[in-house]
Amino acid sequence: RVMCLDLHNDSLRGFFSPDTPVEHLLPGPVAAAYFHEEFYEAAKGGAFPPVAVVAAHEGQVARATEFRKVLQKLSGEDIPMAFISKSRQLAHETDYKPILVGDVTGRKCIIVDDIVNTGRTLQKSVKQLKENGADSVYAWATHGVFGSPNNDAPEKLQATEGLDYLLISNSVSLDRPLPDKIRQLSVAPLLAEAIARALHNQSITGILNLDEMKRKAERYDD
């Protein structure tokens, strides 16, 4: 059995042998719970602030949708979604003009992506959201790929005006200190639960299913 954490493309599971079970774990709901707790505590018992979930680009709409579902469930609020379209003049061009689709005026925006490496896409997204009236901008990406000694993305993001902070998981080992604007969320409990359920032949896909949590879950450690 193979357990993967937020593959860039779900079809990558097809590279494994057909007789090898492949579990695709998505930590987005854990990150959504993190932001819910942060915003709830900041409200100090008041109303939950207006929030918008923003897909970093067209390819992240599915991840952002799942993130939004969990945040809506936890907060009890209607949370709109937006996305940033990458508009390139020519297919081979690396530079692009970001186009925001959706209304983020006066809202705390959470950008959802799967990987942050150079930070350029995130920087452009932050600028675009602030120019369109966002109150504040946060970001979530499962994998922070900053391991190369020549990668100065953490320092660039620290200096990015308008970015409150970027939340990443600890899926990639980092032998360098991270600046204040980059926070790490441990996925160890998620992986441990998945492994325990696999050993006891229990459902893995239902770990982060909030509908399933309404019922008393069958426990392998009872």
Side-chain angles (χ1 to χ4, degrees):
R1 183 185 294 267
V2 176
M3 291 190 183
C4 305
L5 187 70
D6 205 348
L7 294 170
H8 186 61
N9 191 321
D10 189 56
S11 63
L12 290 172
R13 293 194 288 180
F15 284 92
F16 293 94
S17 170
D19 59 0
T20 301
V22 180
E23 305 294 347
H24 189 192
L25 303 177
L26 300 174
V30 181
Y34 179 96
F35 280 104
H36 172 261
E37 186 174 339
E38 283 276 303
F39 293 163
Y40 183 80
E41 289 184 356
K44 297 180 179 178
F48 195 76
V51 176
V53 174
V54 183
H57 51 81
E58 294 90 339
Q60 296 301 324
V61 169
R63 282 184 178 84
T65 299
E66 292 304 311
F67 185 99
R68 171 179 171 266
K69 284 180 183 177
V70 176
L71 198 55
Q72 281 196 146
K73 196 90 171 179
L74 294 173
S75 67
E77 300 291 334
D78 183 29
I79 296 175
M81 198 172 86
F83 72 90
I84 296 174
S85 176
K86 289 183 174 182
S87 178
R88 290 185 172 90
Q89 296 299 317
L90 298 173
H92 66 273
E93 289 183 342
T94 57
D95 197 24
Y96 67 93
K97 179 183 178 182
I99 299 174
L100 176 66
V101 179
D103 184 13
V104 299
T105 305
R107 294 183 176 274
K108 293 180 179 292
C109 294
I110 307 172
I111 301 170
V112 176
D113 207 342
D114 62 336
I115 298 172
V116 175
N117 180 217
T118 65
R120 286 195 296 267
T121 296
L122 180 54
Q123 285 180 308
K124 290 182 178 181
S125 298
V126 170
K127 182 181 179 183
Q128 185 72 2
L129 291 172
K130 293 297 287 185
E131 288 177 350
N132 281 271
D135 175 68
S136 52
V137 181
Y138 307 79
W140 153 249
T142 303
H143 311 293
V145 187
F146 306 135
S148 170
N150 298 324
N151 190 324
D152 61 352
E155 289 71 31
K156 286 182 178 178
L157 294 175
Q158 178 67 21
T160 299
E161 186 177 352
L163 176 65
D164 281 60
Y165 63 79
L166 162 66
L167 179 67
I168 60 174
S169 80
N170 60 343
S171 63
V172 179
S173 177
L174 297 173
D175 296 325
R176 59 188 294 182
L178 294 173
D180 295 338
K181 281 190 178 182
I182 301 181
R183 302 184 183 183
Q184 271 193 310
L185 178 67
S186 176
V187 291
L190 173 62
L191 294 172
E193 180 72 12
I195 293 169
R197 288 190 178 212
L199 291 173
H200 291 83
N201 297 314
Q202 293 187 353
S203 171
I204 294 176
T205 57
I207 292 177
L208 299 174
N209 188 329
L210 294 183
D211 292 327
E212 291 292 326
M213 292 178 186
K214 291 181 180 179
R215 304 195 302 267
K216 178 175 173 56
E218 177 188 358
R219 293 293 303 176
Y220 52 80
D221 52 359
D222 283 346

